[in-house]
Short mmCIF file of all heavy atoms in Angstrom, two decimals:
data_model
loop_
_atom_site.label_atom_id
_atom_site.label_comp_id
_atom_site.label_asym_id
_atom_site.label_seq_id
_atom_site.Cartn_x
_atom_site.Cartn_y
_atom_site.Cartn_z
N LEU X 114 13.86 11.98 -2.26
CA LEU X 114 14.19 13.18 -3.02
C LEU X 114 14.46 14.32 -2.06
O LEU X 114 13.59 14.73 -1.28
CB LEU X 114 13.02 13.56 -3.94
CG LEU X 114 12.68 12.53 -5.02
CD1 LEU X 114 11.32 12.83 -5.64
CD2 LEU X 114 13.76 12.50 -6.10
N LEU X 115 15.71 14.81 -2.10
CA LEU X 115 16.06 15.94 -1.25
C LEU X 115 15.82 17.23 -2.02
O LEU X 115 16.49 17.50 -3.02
CB LEU X 115 17.54 15.85 -0.83
CG LEU X 115 18.07 17.08 -0.10
CD1 LEU X 115 17.37 17.27 1.25
CD2 LEU X 115 19.58 16.97 0.10
N LEU X 116 14.85 18.00 -1.58
CA LEU X 116 14.56 19.28 -2.22
C LEU X 116 15.49 20.33 -1.62
O LEU X 116 15.42 20.65 -0.44
CB LEU X 116 13.10 19.68 -2.01
CG LEU X 116 12.06 18.66 -2.48
CD1 LEU X 116 10.65 19.19 -2.28
CD2 LEU X 116 12.29 18.30 -3.95
N ASP X 117 16.36 20.83 -2.49
CA ASP X 117 17.45 21.69 -2.05
C ASP X 117 17.13 23.16 -2.32
O ASP X 117 16.86 23.52 -3.46
CB ASP X 117 18.67 21.29 -2.89
CG ASP X 117 19.91 21.20 -2.07
OD1 ASP X 117 19.84 21.48 -0.85
OD2 ASP X 117 20.96 20.85 -2.64
N VAL X 118 17.13 23.97 -1.27
CA VAL X 118 16.99 25.43 -1.44
C VAL X 118 17.87 26.15 -0.42
O VAL X 118 18.05 25.66 0.69
CB VAL X 118 15.55 25.95 -1.22
CG1 VAL X 118 14.61 25.52 -2.29
CG2 VAL X 118 15.02 25.58 0.15
N PRO X 119 18.39 27.32 -0.77
CA PRO X 119 19.13 28.09 0.22
C PRO X 119 18.18 28.62 1.30
O PRO X 119 17.02 28.92 1.00
CB PRO X 119 19.74 29.25 -0.58
CG PRO X 119 19.15 29.20 -1.94
CD PRO X 119 18.35 27.95 -2.09
N PRO X 120 18.65 28.72 2.56
CA PRO X 120 17.79 29.15 3.67
C PRO X 120 17.07 30.48 3.43
O PRO X 120 15.90 30.62 3.81
CB PRO X 120 18.77 29.27 4.84
CG PRO X 120 19.88 28.33 4.50
CD PRO X 120 20.00 28.33 3.01
N ALA X 121 17.74 31.43 2.77
CA ALA X 121 17.09 32.72 2.56
C ALA X 121 15.83 32.57 1.71
O ALA X 121 14.83 33.26 1.91
CB ALA X 121 18.06 33.70 1.89
N LEU X 122 15.88 31.65 0.77
CA LEU X 122 14.73 31.42 -0.09
C LEU X 122 13.59 30.74 0.69
O LEU X 122 12.42 31.06 0.51
CB LEU X 122 15.15 30.57 -1.30
CG LEU X 122 14.07 30.34 -2.37
CD1 LEU X 122 13.53 31.66 -2.90
CD2 LEU X 122 14.63 29.50 -3.51
N SER X 123 13.96 29.84 1.60
CA SER X 123 12.95 29.21 2.47
C SER X 123 12.17 30.29 3.21
O SER X 123 10.94 30.24 3.28
CB SER X 123 13.63 28.32 3.53
OG SER X 123 13.99 27.09 2.99
N VAL X 124 12.88 31.24 3.77
CA VAL X 124 12.23 32.30 4.56
C VAL X 124 11.29 33.11 3.67
O VAL X 124 10.13 33.35 4.02
CB VAL X 124 13.28 33.22 5.22
CG1 VAL X 124 12.60 34.39 5.93
CG2 VAL X 124 14.13 32.43 6.22
N GLN X 125 11.76 33.47 2.47
CA GLN X 125 10.93 34.25 1.55
C GLN X 125 9.67 33.47 1.17
O GLN X 125 8.57 34.01 1.12
CB GLN X 125 11.77 34.61 0.30
CG GLN X 125 11.13 35.63 -0.64
CD GLN X 125 10.35 34.97 -1.79
OE1 GLN X 125 10.32 33.76 -1.95
NE2 GLN X 125 9.67 35.80 -2.57
N ARG X 126 9.84 32.18 0.92
CA ARG X 126 8.69 31.37 0.52
C ARG X 126 7.68 31.22 1.65
O ARG X 126 6.47 31.26 1.44
CB ARG X 126 9.16 29.98 0.11
CG ARG X 126 9.78 29.99 -1.27
CD ARG X 126 10.21 28.59 -1.62
NE ARG X 126 10.66 28.51 -3.00
CZ ARG X 126 11.20 27.42 -3.52
NH1 ARG X 126 11.37 26.34 -2.77
NH2 ARG X 126 11.58 27.41 -4.78
N LEU X 127 8.18 31.01 2.86
CA LEU X 127 7.27 30.75 3.98
C LEU X 127 6.53 32.01 4.41
O LEU X 127 5.35 31.95 4.74
CB LEU X 127 8.04 30.15 5.16
CG LEU X 127 8.60 28.75 4.91
CD1 LEU X 127 9.52 28.33 6.05
CD2 LEU X 127 7.49 27.73 4.73
N THR X 128 7.23 33.15 4.40
CA THR X 128 6.54 34.37 4.84
C THR X 128 5.43 34.73 3.85
O THR X 128 4.43 35.32 4.24
CB THR X 128 7.51 35.57 5.00
OG1 THR X 128 8.33 35.65 3.83
CG2 THR X 128 8.40 35.42 6.21
N GLY X 129 5.59 34.37 2.56
CA GLY X 129 4.57 34.73 1.56
C GLY X 129 3.54 33.64 1.31
O GLY X 129 2.62 33.80 0.52
N ARG X 130 3.68 32.53 2.00
CA ARG X 130 2.80 31.40 1.72
C ARG X 130 1.37 31.65 2.22
O ARG X 130 1.16 32.18 3.29
CB ARG X 130 3.35 30.15 2.41
CG ARG X 130 2.38 28.98 2.35
CD ARG X 130 3.06 27.68 2.56
NE ARG X 130 3.46 27.48 3.93
CZ ARG X 130 4.11 26.39 4.34
NH1 ARG X 130 4.45 25.45 3.46
NH2 ARG X 130 4.45 26.25 5.59
N ARG X 131 0.41 31.26 1.41
CA ARG X 131 -1.00 31.32 1.81
C ARG X 131 -1.64 29.98 1.44
O ARG X 131 -1.28 29.38 0.42
CB ARG X 131 -1.75 32.45 1.10
CG ARG X 131 -1.22 33.84 1.38
CD ARG X 131 -1.43 34.28 2.84
NE ARG X 131 -0.92 35.63 3.05
CZ ARG X 131 0.33 35.94 3.39
NH1 ARG X 131 1.22 34.97 3.57
NH2 ARG X 131 0.70 37.18 3.56
N ILE X 132 -2.60 29.55 2.24
CA ILE X 132 -3.20 28.23 2.04
C ILE X 132 -4.71 28.33 2.04
O ILE X 132 -5.29 29.15 2.77
CB ILE X 132 -2.73 27.29 3.18
CG1 ILE X 132 -1.21 27.11 3.10
CG2 ILE X 132 -3.41 25.92 3.09
CD1 ILE X 132 -0.60 26.67 4.36
N CYS X 133 -5.33 27.52 1.20
CA CYS X 133 -6.80 27.53 1.16
C CYS X 133 -7.37 26.81 2.37
O CYS X 133 -7.01 25.67 2.66
CB CYS X 133 -7.29 26.85 -0.12
SG CYS X 133 -9.09 26.72 -0.14
N ARG X 134 -8.25 27.48 3.06
CA ARG X 134 -8.87 26.92 4.25
C ARG X 134 -9.75 25.71 3.90
O ARG X 134 -9.96 24.82 4.71
CB ARG X 134 -9.77 28.00 4.88
CG ARG X 134 -9.69 28.05 6.38
CD ARG X 134 -10.55 29.16 6.93
NE ARG X 134 -9.80 30.36 7.28
CZ ARG X 134 -8.92 30.43 8.28
NH1 ARG X 134 -8.65 29.38 9.01
NH2 ARG X 134 -8.29 31.55 8.53
N GLN X 135 -10.25 25.69 2.66
CA GLN X 135 -11.20 24.66 2.29
C GLN X 135 -10.54 23.42 1.69
O GLN X 135 -10.81 22.31 2.11
CB GLN X 135 -12.17 25.24 1.25
CG GLN X 135 -13.62 24.97 1.59
CD GLN X 135 -14.52 25.93 0.84
OE1 GLN X 135 -15.24 26.70 1.43
NE2 GLN X 135 -14.46 25.86 -0.49
N CYS X 136 -9.64 23.63 0.68
CA CYS X 136 -9.09 22.46 -0.02
C CYS X 136 -7.60 22.28 0.23
O CYS X 136 -7.01 21.30 -0.24
CB CYS X 136 -9.37 22.54 -1.52
SG CYS X 136 -8.33 23.71 -2.41
N GLY X 137 -6.96 23.21 0.93
CA GLY X 137 -5.56 23.03 1.26
C GLY X 137 -4.57 23.42 0.17
O GLY X 137 -3.36 23.27 0.35
N ALA X 138 -5.07 23.94 -0.97
CA ALA X 138 -4.15 24.34 -2.05
C ALA X 138 -3.19 25.43 -1.55
O ALA X 138 -3.54 26.26 -0.72
CB ALA X 138 -4.94 24.85 -3.25
N ASN X 139 -1.95 25.38 -2.08
CA ASN X 139 -0.89 26.30 -1.68
C ASN X 139 -0.72 27.45 -2.64
O ASN X 139 -0.68 27.25 -3.85
CB ASN X 139 0.44 25.54 -1.68
CG ASN X 139 0.75 24.92 -0.35
OD1 ASN X 139 1.27 25.58 0.55
ND2 ASN X 139 0.40 23.66 -0.20
N TYR X 140 -0.53 28.65 -2.11
CA TYR X 140 -0.23 29.83 -2.94
C TYR X 140 0.93 30.58 -2.32
O TYR X 140 1.37 30.29 -1.22
CB TYR X 140 -1.46 30.75 -3.00
CG TYR X 140 -2.64 30.08 -3.67
CD1 TYR X 140 -3.54 29.32 -2.93
CD2 TYR X 140 -2.81 30.18 -5.05
CE1 TYR X 140 -4.60 28.67 -3.55
CE2 TYR X 140 -3.88 29.53 -5.68
CZ TYR X 140 -4.76 28.79 -4.92
OH TYR X 140 -5.80 28.14 -5.53
N HIS X 141 1.42 31.57 -3.08
CA HIS X 141 2.43 32.48 -2.54
C HIS X 141 2.11 33.87 -3.07
O HIS X 141 1.84 34.02 -4.27
CB HIS X 141 3.83 32.04 -2.97
CG HIS X 141 4.92 32.85 -2.32
ND1 HIS X 141 5.24 34.12 -2.72
CD2 HIS X 141 5.73 32.56 -1.27
CE1 HIS X 141 6.21 34.58 -1.95
NE2 HIS X 141 6.52 33.65 -1.07
#
Side-chain angles (χ1 to χ4, degrees):
L114 297 166
L115 172 65
L116 304 183
D117 223 358
V118 291
L122 185 57
S123 280
V124 175
Q125 190 266 356
R126 283 181 173 174
L127 293 171
T128 48
R130 171 160 73 181
R131 299 293 181 272
I132 297 159
C133 175
R134 221 178 260 293
Q135 229 161 241
C136 75
N139 269 277
Y140 297 88
H141 187 283

